[in-house]
């Protein structure tokens, strides 16, 4: 039984989809005014693993992730560069895809944009005005939080406490200090659309409500995002969506939030000089290393980012990559001995433990430990077959490989090699270099042989002498 932590109830609950065999997920996406940063990467890697695991369990997943392509930050960046807001959003949406592709994040089913959802947003705002939950003032439209009895139920805040501690600019036009904008009157130099209240653009919170309802309906399974979105963004989504629909049990059934990323145990900020984009990190580390680093910590726990921890993740992933090479090598062998029944049984035991870890609120940290345990078992068998002359058992080994592939497929590793094929050119060049080195060794030209080995190591390639010849791997 899969259990997920529901922010709304503050406890783990058995996952029961609205439709048998199907899962509907909405996740808040980025505001594309700059390259995505490491804090953006965590939720999307997290949701990618969750999607993969649902698929492993046999669910048909529909996953929606928006782009907030109309926003103050985008408008400011456009005005500063002297380009349009669409130029900015298009540029950084492309950057988002480049970064996420490098992290093996599979694309959502739909990426709705605010600018393409204006009719649905206007309909929703009009409905809230008609029902008395919203009121227009001077071209703006505000949501009246006092009209929604459940306001604060997601974040656990009380309206009276929020009012007493409100640190917001006083706007005497509002009925309550916590009322928020559904529609904003147009200002010079901003994009705007016609509305019953005059030209303007949507407020932030109404966008996600309109897009999730458009693509997933009045009830869907999971709404996800970072912990920083619980209040006010997701709180406001609930208030306006349930008021619009007229059903307190509508909208998302489970609310899931990932923890924060800190940089050397400090909050990431440009002013502190500890702000890192994914693009900058990918200049130093492969995307799979960054992905693996993120998934070594449970998604709800804080994650501290540092170069030291990235190096540790690189080393750990390297161990698994070595095993992946062994798996590929053994899978190409033939043999009908009965020597891997124990390995197959252990592999199936470990993949069951992997699933149990993932069933416990997607505990990737514990799940990955099962992958390492299987790596050890495969390595032992590989050495027995290649170095000790043990007869090979292909049928049972393929059972172990199926378990290995299943776990790696959920975690989302060993995919870069497949996506960056070079028609075997790299292998051919390495075979040539190894051949030259072997000739040098046969001629006892140790200086040349050692220089080839050392120069390859400096370039990030390690040579290994095995009973089956010389193998190479990335350091």
């Amino acid at each position: 039984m899969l259990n997920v932590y529901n922010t709304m109830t503050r406890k783990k609950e058995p996952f029961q989809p609205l439709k048998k065999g199907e899962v509907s997920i909405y996740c808040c996406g980025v505001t594309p005014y700059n390259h995505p940063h490491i804090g953006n990467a965590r939720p999307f890697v997290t949701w990618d693993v969750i999607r993969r695991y649902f698929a492993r369990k046999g669910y048909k997943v529909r996953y929606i992730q928006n782009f907030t392509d109309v926003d103050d930050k985008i408008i400011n960046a456009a005005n500063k560069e002297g380009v349009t807001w669409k130029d900015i959003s298009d540029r950084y949406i492309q950057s988002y895809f480049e970064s996420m592709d490098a992290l093996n994040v599979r694309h959502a089913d739909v990426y709705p944009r605010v600018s393409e959802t204006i009719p649905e947003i206007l309909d929703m705002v009009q409905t809230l005005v008609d029902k008395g939950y919203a009121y227009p003032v001077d071209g703006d439209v505000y949501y009246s939080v006092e009209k929604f009895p459940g306001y604060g139920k997601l974040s656990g805040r009380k309206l009276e406490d929020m009012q007493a501690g409100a640190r917001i600019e006083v706007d005497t036009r509002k009925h309550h200090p916590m009322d928020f904008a559904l529609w904003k009157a147009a200002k010079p130099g901003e994009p705007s659309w016609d509305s019953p209240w005059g030209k303007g653009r949507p407020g932030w919170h109404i966008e996600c409500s309109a897009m999730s309802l458009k693509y997933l309906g009045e009830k869907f399974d999971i709404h996800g995002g970072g912990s920083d979105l619980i209040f006010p963004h997701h709180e406001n989504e609930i208030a306006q969506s349930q008021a619009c629909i007229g059903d307190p049990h509508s909208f998302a059934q489970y609310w899931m939030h990932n923890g924060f990323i800190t940089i050397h145990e400090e909050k990431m900020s440009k002013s502190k000089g500890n702000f890192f984009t994914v693009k900058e990190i990918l200049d130093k580390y492969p995307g799979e290393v960054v992905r693996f680093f993120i998934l070594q910590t449970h998604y709800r726990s804080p994650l501290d980012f540092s170069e030291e921890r990235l190096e540790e993740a690189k080393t750990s992933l390297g161990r698994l990559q070595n095993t992946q090479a062994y798996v590929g090598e053994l899978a190409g062998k033939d043999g009908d001995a009965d020597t891997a029944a124990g390995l197959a049984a252990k592999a199936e035991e470990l993949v069951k433990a992997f699933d149990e870890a993932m069933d416990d609120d997607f505990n990737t940290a514990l799940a990955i430990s099962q992958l390492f345990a299987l790596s050890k078992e495969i390595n032992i068998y590989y050495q027995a077959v290649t170095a000790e002359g043990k007869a090979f058992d292909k049928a049972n080994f393929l059972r172990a490989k199926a378990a290995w592939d299943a776990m790696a497929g959920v975690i989302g590793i060993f995919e870069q090699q497949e996506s960056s094929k070079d028609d075997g050119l790299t292998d051919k060049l390495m075979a040539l270099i190894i051949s030259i080195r072997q000739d040098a060794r046969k001629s006892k030209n140790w200086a040349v042989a050692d220089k080839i080995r050392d120069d390859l190591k400096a370039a990030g390639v390690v040579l290994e002498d095995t009973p089956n010849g010389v193998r190479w791997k990335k350091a």
Side-chain angles (χ1 to χ4, degrees):
M1 171 65 74
L2 172 61
N3 290 284
V4 301
Y5 184 86
N6 189 349
T7 306
M8 181 67 78
T9 60
R10 293 164 186 78
K11 64 181 181 181
K12 292 179 186 177
E13 299 176 356
F15 178 72
Q16 297 177 329
L18 291 166
K19 293 182 180 179
K20 186 177 180 180
E22 297 183 18
V23 181
S24 48
I25 303 173
Y26 182 89
C27 183
C28 290
V30 296
T31 300
Y33 71 97
N34 200 344
H35 298 291
H37 55 73
I38 186 62
N40 297 137
R42 188 180 193 187
F44 305 125
V45 169
T46 295
W47 288 104
D48 183 66
V49 169
I50 289 172
R51 288 176 68 196
R52 288 168 182 252
Y53 188 62
F54 273 125
R56 168 164 169 72
K57 291 183 75 72
Y59 287 99
K60 180 182 178 181
V61 183
R62 180 162 173 78
Y63 177 68
I64 310 299
Q65 181 188 314
N66 78 297
F67 286 117
T68 300
D69 66 338
V70 182
D71 180 87
D72 289 341
K73 292 177 180 178
I74 294 172
I75 295 166
N76 292 339
N79 291 339
K80 185 176 180 180
E81 290 190 29
V83 298
T84 70
W85 60 272
K86 194 172 186 307
D87 291 331
I88 295 293
S89 61
D90 284 349
R91 177 196 307 169
Y92 292 116
I93 286 172
Q94 179 61 34
S95 174
Y96 166 85
F97 282 122
E98 290 170 359
S99 293
M100 294 306 117
D101 288 347
L103 299 177
N104 295 346
V105 173
R106 295 173 178 172
H107 289 201
D109 294 298
V110 184
Y111 287 99
R113 301 190 187 196
V114 173
S115 62
E116 298 169 351
T117 321
I118 299 298
E120 290 81 6
I121 291 171
L122 287 171
D123 287 346
M124 194 168 187
V125 175
Q126 185 65 67
T127 298
L128 290 169
V129 171
D130 293 343
K131 288 189 170 187
Y133 286 97
Y135 55 94
V137 182
D138 303 329
D140 296 327
V141 181
Y142 290 100
Y143 184 93
S144 179
V145 294
E146 292 177 296
K147 295 291 182 69
F148 186 72
Y151 193 76
K153 60 185 176 181
L154 180 68
S155 59
R157 304 185 184 199
K158 294 182 179 179
L159 195 54
E160 55 270 25
D161 295 337
M162 287 188 271
Q163 180 174 3
R167 295 181 180 179
I168 55 178
E169 185 177 347
V170 176
D171 186 342
T172 55
R173 300 178 308 153
K174 291 184 180 182
H175 295 175
H176 187 282
M178 299 305 297
D179 289 353
F180 56 90
L182 300 174
W183 188 260
K184 299 178 180 180
K187 295 178 182 177
E190 292 186 354
S192 63
W193 289 264
D194 291 329
S195 83
W197 314 283
K199 282 190 170 292
R201 61 185 176 93
W204 174 32
H205 313 297
I206 194 69
E207 302 162 355
C208 283
S209 287
M211 287 185 275
S212 58
L213 293 173
K214 177 178 180 178
Y215 291 99
L216 295 177
E218 294 185 352
K219 285 189 179 183
F220 56 94
D221 293 305
I222 299 173
H223 195 314
S227 298
D228 57 319
L229 298 179
I230 295 174
F231 187 88
H233 185 51
H234 289 166
E235 193 73 73
N236 291 349
E237 275 192 69
I238 292 169
Q240 63 201 8
S241 299
Q242 292 185 347
C244 181
I245 297 165
D247 178 1
H249 303 293
S250 62
F251 209 47
Q253 307 302 293
Y254 299 86
W255 288 85
M256 299 176 64
H257 296 90
N258 62 273
F260 293 108
I261 282 188
T262 55
I263 311 293
H264 294 288
E265 299 183 352
E266 286 190 326
K267 185 177 180 181
M268 182 171 62
S269 72
K270 289 182 179 179
S271 61
K272 291 181 179 179
N274 64 356
F275 183 91
F276 298 101
T277 66
V278 176
K279 190 171 183 288
E280 290 168 335
I281 298 167
L282 291 174
D283 287 338
K284 294 183 178 181
Y285 294 94
E288 287 195 350
V289 170
V290 180
R291 181 187 180 93
F292 194 70
F293 159 73
I294 291 171
L295 295 176
Q296 283 181 303
T297 299
H298 188 276
Y299 79 92
R300 283 193 289 114
S301 299
L303 174 60
D304 190 53
F305 176 88
S306 68
E307 196 146 336
E308 293 78 14
R309 292 198 64 192
L310 269 177
E311 286 292 339
E312 291 170 4
K314 181 180 178 181
T315 300
S316 296
L317 181 60
R319 289 164 52 197
L320 297 180
Q321 287 170 331
N322 286 343
T323 303
Q324 174 70 359
Y326 297 158
V327 168
E329 186 177 328
L330 290 179
K333 289 176 64 69
D334 290 320
D336 57 4
D338 185 15
T339 58
L343 172 64
K346 184 65 176 178
E348 287 163 2
E349 175 187 318
L350 289 170
V351 77
K352 182 180 178 183
F354 177 94
D355 287 342
E356 288 172 353
M358 292 297 291
D359 279 344
D360 185 15
D361 193 33
F362 308 102
N363 190 340
T364 55
L366 182 56
I368 286 171
S369 70
Q370 311 308 320
L371 195 57
F372 275 106
L374 182 53
S375 169
K376 181 180 178 181
E377 298 293 332
I378 291 174
N379 292 351
I380 291 171
Y381 186 72
Y382 175 83
Q383 291 301 322
V385 170
T386 60
E388 300 167 16
K390 191 171 190 175
F392 182 57
D393 178 354
K394 184 160 189 174
N396 279 313
F397 178 75
L398 291 180
R399 286 170 57 196
K401 180 180 183 296
W404 174 262
D405 291 344
M407 289 192 271
V410 171
I411 299 302
I413 50 177
F414 314 141
E415 297 178 3
Q416 293 294 320
Q417 297 93 329
E418 295 177 9
S419 63
S420 57
K421 291 179 180 177
D422 56 4
D423 296 325
L425 179 60
T426 299
D427 288 334
K428 291 174 185 176
L429 289 174
M430 285 305 304
L432 175 61
I433 292 169
I434 289 170
S435 175
I436 293 170
R437 179 173 177 267
Q438 291 298 87
D439 288 344
R441 294 179 71 185
K442 287 177 183 177
S443 303
K444 297 186 179 181
N445 191 342
W446 307 118
V448 170
D450 290 348
K451 179 174 173 53
I452 292 172
R453 179 199 62 203
D454 295 343
D455 286 354
L456 284 174
K457 186 175 181 180
V461 176
V462 176
L463 299 182
E464 291 182 334
D465 292 309
T466 77
N468 295 326
V470 180
R471 293 179 64 253
W472 67 275
K473 66 178 183 179
K474 293 182 180 179

